[in-house]
Amino acid sequence: MTTVTRFAPSPTGMLHVGGARTALYSWLHARQRGGRFVLRIEDTDRLRSTPEAINAIHEAMQWLGLDYTPPVVYQSQRETRHREAIDQLITQGDAYYCYASTADVEAMRERARARGDKPRYDGTWRPRPGKTLPTPPSGVSPVVRFANPTTGSVRFEDIIRGTVAIDNSELDDLVIARADGTPTYNLCVVVDDLDAGITDVVRGDDHVNNTPRQINIGRALVGSEIDLPHYAHVPMILGADGRRLSKRHGAVDVMQFRRDGILPGALLNYLARLGWSYGDQEIFSLNEMVDKFALNEVHSKAAVFDPDKLAWVNQEHIKAAEPAELIDELAWHLAELGVHDVSDARLEEIAAVQQQRCKTVRGMATDSLYLFYAVDEYDSKGVKKHVKPGSASVLRDLRDRLAALQSWRADDLGATVKTLADDHEIGLGKVAQPLRIALTGRPVSPPIDDTLALLGRETSLVRLDKAITDFGEIADNTETSV
Ligand code: GLU
């Protein structure tokens, strides 16, 4: 049987990193079995669901590369089908109209509490053979309740948690349609999972208490012959303080990680390892995760989010990547910084130089801005520390030697800088640092030979010319002010 999994987010905000991990586990489980992974947007809560939140889900899933088999299901468009299922349950005698008001139900719960029982609906409107139901009050629109079995128990093998069993006597008769006729979450989920042929429901463990109820509803809908889905409840992600990970712990929006310069593959790697392990291996490509991940090995205990570890995983991915694998993200970050239309070949050159020294793709982009913007200002601290009275004349000599080079390759450029330092009997830093400031405006950049090579002959010489004048003036001013 083909494995079919799904991700069923409610579009009420950004895509939370916890949701992304659930989606990843569900995607991996389908992918490694050659199955299908579908996206269902649970947008039945009209007040809380927004088009922006729906876009945010698509955007985040696309960035992560968690592709789904079309079509995307919008739960709100399936209301007719949901109502049909409710009618079926009523007709079968598995659901019934209940006219109890909210106050009535509260009073029933109160009475149960007073008796020392679990607070619950008392079954007043539930039909039973030989029972005479109360007369429906006029002007009241009833809700529909599912007639949960009253005896026996529900038992399922959770792929992550193992056996879960609960007595039916513990379960209330759930409302499956509100007074205005709209179906509720627990009904919609069951109908949608059954209709889509979902074989494995992978979802957050905040839903584990719903599962026995959903299994009962599912059984009532399809009988005992048809298989219901298997369930895997993924434990939540906690912050360092042991509380559920939320904004107050830092970034939780998947797209915020992008803005921070995390690679999608690194975030997926980190999320896969957060709650699952494979020996002591930490770094996984997506293909390796598909090969090695096992849903039944996901830890049943909640995991603690560690931003430092994510940063480390990200840097490892950046270092190990082929430059071509970095260019989409690099281009995105450059565009965020106002640099557009950089060719793929140029992006690859930049990535190849920056990937060994930058911790994030954002850093790769900011540290490459010198290639795209003229140096309007020099970093004042850098100038103070590195530009000395003799710097301008050293750079003048260097400029002439560089201009005479036949090629503009990093090794020749590096050798020229080195020879010049030797000839002037000064340390390499006394040449490289003023040169770096001249070329980039800052005292920090890739190795000086790469900095020159990336910038190219023409721009390097123009910037050197300007700096020779500027640094001459700086040095003069320094001398007069002494
Ligand atoms: N829409 C639900 C949520 O966002 C998920 C329901 C499910 O996965 O069954 O929490």
Side-chain angles (χ1 to χ4, degrees), residues 6 8-10 42 185 189 203 207:
R6 49 51 157 202
S10 304
E42 303 213 319
Y185 160 72
V189 168
R203 62 181 174 190
H207 287 288

